[in-house]
Amino acid sequence: MRVVIAGGGIGGLATALSLHAAGFEDVVVHEAAREIRPLGVGINLLPHAVRELTELGLADRLAEIGVPTGELAYFNRYGTPIWSEPRGLGAGYAWPQYSVHRGRLQMVLLEAVIERLGPHAVRTGSRARAAAPSATPVPAPGREGNPDGTGHTDGTGHTDGPDPGTGELLGLPVGPDDLLVGADGIHSAVRAHLFPGEGPPPWNGLVLWRGTTYGEPFLTGRSMIMAGDGTQKFVAYPIEVGERTLINWIAERPLDGEAPDRGDWNRPADPRRIAAHFADWRFDWLDVPGIITGAESAYAYPMVDRDPLPYWTSGNITLLGDAAHAMYPIGSNGASQAIIDARVLAHSLAHGDLAAYEAARRPATTALQLANREMGPEVVMKLAHERAPSGFDDVEEVIPFAERAEIAASYKRTAGFDPASLNERPSWSVTR
């Protein structure tokens, strides 16, 4: 089978590597940009994603570009501790957790694809174009679907939706026996082809500002911190250590007016204006406004996601990553879930069962999308503010340890990285 992948981001490149490892040789990635460059800021790779990249033979390369996360810690808006936990190997996982620059990770994946599949496996300047389907339109999410309620007519992944054509689909060379994987992000043309009435991503009224700043190490030097009150939040973690520490940061608060450019990470913002919203967030261990104003540049991003879909697969088309399940950037799961999608898709195709991919991944990611809309594990900051808006001396009197521990453990179970379950789960690698 020939597989055509729309999108050369983390999900699309991880899919190409996974398919190659599973024995598929005819795989081509089509990327809209004319040149793939190491753009973006920091992201986290959770242990379940690191496991998959390790099994793809990329462990050493990850170690070269990533900072192993030592702990995750939550604080209120006054810098008082609410909850902390070890991460990665220190938490009992068989694999580390990494904080990495998104662009550097993408380049590692790109280099591996070219090494293993050849230079012609990635075609830049080749964009999937949304087009009106040639048959009865597939309903948008939330509208009435096929009789079984899933959008499927027979349980095999086939529907009465768009006809894939014979030689080209959405502007890409896709034959009737090929598979098109839509890994083209939150504004996916492939998704729009399957669900033409969906519209723009829904916005929750918050705006994120993101940037990177060289600064002094804080706490353990490998800590990921979140401070806030459930409405306004600041996140920071190192993505480069050595002679200097490069700190990735995210500042979040409500935005008055309409959200501009939903789903666009590249809208510049003035760090000084951002810092004004956090002017008194100076803690003994972290100078929040100092970190923000120290950035050479910053970018604004309205907090948007996508509604869960009734199905991902129609004929010889399926979705993956943000195209399938874009979620709020809570719990550090976006890139990790796309990597897991890639591995499960390759495993399913190697066993001749495309439907197994969606059956395994769609319910899991739907639950995670909904959990992130409820703030996931970050809800402890909201609870602390609601119960002690002026601050507290003893967090145990505000949120008992058992409640905090269950919030953290429940999210790990939902997201698929409970330590025991992950360590014991069989591999998705395919014996060739």
Side-chain angles (χ1 to χ4, degrees):
M1 177 183 10
R2 182 170 183 265
V3 182
V4 177
I5 301 168
I10 291 171
L13 295 172
T15 300
L17 290 172
S18 299
L19 290 168
H20 178 264
F24 294 88
E25 300 294 340
D26 196 355
V27 179
V28 181
V29 177
H30 291 263
E31 165 55 37
R34 294 195 175 276
E35 179 184 4
I36 298 177
R37 296 182 292 156
L39 302 177
V41 287
I43 60 173
N44 272 268
L45 288 177
L46 299 179
H48 52 350
V50 175
R51 173 180 179 173
E52 302 313 321
L53 295 179
T54 297
E55 294 184 357
L56 287 172
L58 299 176
D60 290 344
R61 301 189 198 190
L62 289 181
E64 291 176 359
I65 67 168
V67 176
T69 309
E71 71 165 345
L72 170 64
Y74 296 96
F75 301 81
N76 68 4
R77 54 98 56 235
Y78 304 105
T80 306
I82 299 172
W83 171 259
S84 66
E85 61 183 53
R87 280 295 174 113
L89 299 177
Y93 292 100
W95 303 270
Q97 175 174 327
Y98 287 114
S99 297
V100 302
H101 187 284
R102 181 196 177 280
R104 295 186 70 186
L105 173 63
Q106 186 177 12
M107 297 310 292
V108 163
L109 298 176
L110 176 63
E111 291 166 2
V113 169
I114 292 173
E115 289 170 6
R116 300 175 188 184
L117 283 79
H120 301 296
V122 179
R123 301 179 186 176
T124 56
S126 181
R127 179 188 299 274
R129 300 189 302 270
S134 58
T136 304
V138 180
R143 301 183 183 181
E144 184 178 359
N146 287 326
D148 68 354
T150 65
H152 293 225
T153 57
D154 58 9
T156 65
H158 295 278
T159 76
D160 58 356
D163 177 5
T166 58
E168 186 175 273
L169 179 61
L170 300 173
L172 302 179
V174 182
D177 297 323
D178 301 340
L179 175 67
L180 173 61
V181 179
D184 49 341
I186 194 169
H187 293 299
S188 168
V190 181
R191 177 178 175 127
H193 179 73
L194 298 181
F195 299 94
E198 185 172 22
W203 176 48
N204 72 351
L206 298 176
V207 64
L208 307 179
W209 292 288
R210 305 191 69 163
T212 56
T213 304
Y214 282 103
E216 295 298 320
F218 54 88
L219 299 180
T220 69
R222 294 189 296 113
S223 298
M224 178 179 184
I225 69 94
M226 300 188 187
D229 56 15
T231 299
Q232 190 159 322
K233 180 180 72 177
F234 185 78
V235 180
Y237 52 86
I239 57 173
E240 183 180 309
V241 296
E243 295 183 4
R244 296 194 297 174
T245 296
L246 183 60
I247 300 169
N248 184 83
W249 56 265
I250 305 165
E252 173 188 314
R253 72 182 302 273
L255 177 69
D256 296 330
E258 178 61 23
D261 304 325
R262 298 186 189 185
D264 179 7
W265 275 112
N266 299 312
R267 184 171 179 269
D270 184 349
R272 293 170 297 177
R273 292 189 176 184
I274 302 169
H277 297 295
F278 296 83
D280 61 344
W281 289 45
R282 288 186 168 89
F283 313 142
D284 293 341
W285 48 274
L286 191 69
D287 180 0
V288 171
I291 290 178
I292 296 173
T293 55
E296 292 186 0
S297 59
Y299 302 92
Y301 181 80
M303 188 180 287
V304 296
D305 66 357
R306 284 291 190 185
D307 291 326
L309 290 175
Y311 56 91
W312 295 351
T313 304
S314 177
N316 65 341
I317 306 173
T318 196
L319 301 174
L320 182 144
D322 279 356
H325 50 70
M327 59 188 68
Y328 292 158
I330 288 173
S332 308
N333 261 283
S336 294
Q337 293 298 323
I339 291 166
I340 295 168
D341 287 350
R343 291 279 285 166
V344 175
L345 175 61
H347 183 273
S348 300
L349 290 177
H351 290 86
D353 189 2
L354 173 59
Y357 159 63
E358 182 176 331
R361 296 299 296 148
R362 187 169 61 84
T365 55
T366 293
L368 190 54
Q369 286 179 287
L370 299 178
N372 281 8
R373 286 183 175 181
E374 298 299 323
M375 298 184 66
E378 297 176 18
V379 73
V380 293
M381 295 184 291
K382 178 175 182 287
L383 294 175
H385 178 71
E386 291 175 345
R387 299 175 188 180
S390 300
F392 53 83
D393 295 321
D394 184 359
V395 67
E396 187 67 18
E397 296 178 356
V398 180
I399 312 176
F401 177 85
E403 183 179 1
R404 287 174 284 148
E406 177 53 27
I407 289 171
S410 175
Y411 188 78
K412 292 183 181 72
R413 293 191 295 268
T414 299
F417 67 107
D418 169 71
S421 299
L422 176 61
N423 290 346
E424 297 168 5
R425 175 180 59 73
S427 173
W428 283 316
S429 293
V430 176
T431 301
R432 298 179 61 172

